[in-house]
Amino acid sequence: MRYAASLSWRASPLILYPPMPRPIKVSIHTAALAHNLDVARRHAPNAKVWAVVKANAYGHGIDNAFPGLRDTDGFGLLDLDEAVRLRELGWAGPILLLEGFFKPEDLAIVDEYGLTTTVHSDEQLRMLEMARLKKPLNVQLKMNSGMNRLGFSPERYRAAWERARAIPGVSQIVLMTHFSDADGPRGIQYQMEAFERGARDVPGERSLANSAATLCYPETHGAWVRPGIMLYGSSPKGLEVPAATFDLQPTMTLETELIGIQEIPAGGTVGYGSIFAAETPMRVGTVACGYADGYPRVAPTGTPILVDGVRTRTLGRVSMDMLSVDLTPVPQARVGSSVTLWGRGLSIDEVAASAGTLAYELMCAVARRVPVHAN
Ligand SMILES: *Cc1c(COP(=O)(O)O)cnc(C)c1O
């Protein structure tokens, strides 16, 4: 657990060791991460895998995700401190910076830690031309094939590749792009056409596929795939193709307990703004989890939640530290009953859909104050 070091409980002889935390915790399921990596390999048996662990492994924690994902071929991320952390954990294989470097001084760290970098702009090419590197550097040269965020246009791609190849410090150059709609109705075709146009005569391995393309478009696999969200047990197709259909297992369970129970009469209201009113007398549970823990405040009445393993619904507005649940289907519930916000037994994709967002955002938003256990 990660909070103890910063607290000053030692100073008071009246406080017992260890301090009692709130009942909330997040569990990271290491074996499920390994299983989901296998699912990616099964779909792309001839490709190497960049396991994407950006944003602190989609909120799981680099330290917690690493043991589950260590059979990967490489790790993809953005933050240099996360790359350094992987080296400290003993990872000697490839690490890809998905946005590359930002300043010339970053290249010293790229060099020191043997990182592979994305190159998507003329500015980065110029920085590489000026750099004095100790070791040759592997590069993924990014094409903007239609998403219009980062990369060289198809028309300029060949020239960018020539320029990169001429830099003495640059070793291998992999050809890369990223899909905007591999998970949606527009699909990948418009970008595949642009990519083929720009990269037609350019030699080198290809790196195109995110999770959705890894699962749904084998023609994109190339030498490397870059799955992220699927490794964390969420379906890139959301509820349209549930995670279990892809044989993906949840990797993060957010759980807590009931800390209060109210019997309310017909017409009684629940929480701030009184936005839920009971039509009949009912039992309402108060749950030790709120938006300051990372639960989405916008989740409306009716968002699924488990109490004692029984599926029920949230009621009213989510508070900072608490939310309310309907105990009608769980008459045996009492203070101390277990509550699952998402994870094992309740798909995070369902909760995300109810809140009008994606599992990506929920995973990344779990707050620092929630203790993390890896198991
Ligand atoms: C985040 C990211 C991925 C992984 O995307 P998922 O949808 O999570 O699979 C792959 N490639 C790049 C460049 C990314 O930024």
Side-chain angles (χ1 to χ4, degrees), residues 27-48:
S27 299
I28 306 301
H29 312 306
T30 308
L33 287 161
H35 170 89
N36 295 338
L37 176 61
D38 267 358
V39 175
R41 288 210 186 278
R42 253 186 274 146
H43 278 83
N46 300 316
K48 291 170 279 184

Side-chain angles (χ1 to χ4, degrees), residues 146-228:
M147 194 171 194
N148 292 321
R149 295 192 311 189
L150 299 178
F152 300 95
S153 69
E155 292 67 36
R156 296 206 42 243
Y157 193 69
R158 169 96 206 182
W161 181 83
E162 300 281 4
R163 193 174 159 194
R165 195 177 58 148
I167 300 172
V170 169
S171 173
Q172 197 195 16
I173 306 176
V174 171
L175 319 184
M176 173 190 186
T177 196
H178 190 53
F179 296 122
S180 64
D181 290 75
D183 54 350
R186 191 177 182 192
I188 56 154
Q189 203 47 46
Y190 85 103
Q191 284 179 279
M192 286 301 274
E193 281 162 20
F195 186 80
E196 291 310 332
R197 181 155 38 86
R200 192 172 38 229
D201 304 321
V202 186
E205 293 182 342
R206 318 226 155 175
S207 166
L208 314 182
N210 58 3
S211 294
T214 301
L215 291 169
C216 304
Y217 296 106
E219 66 271 32
T220 65
H221 288 170
W224 290 90
V225 292
R226 303 191 306 270

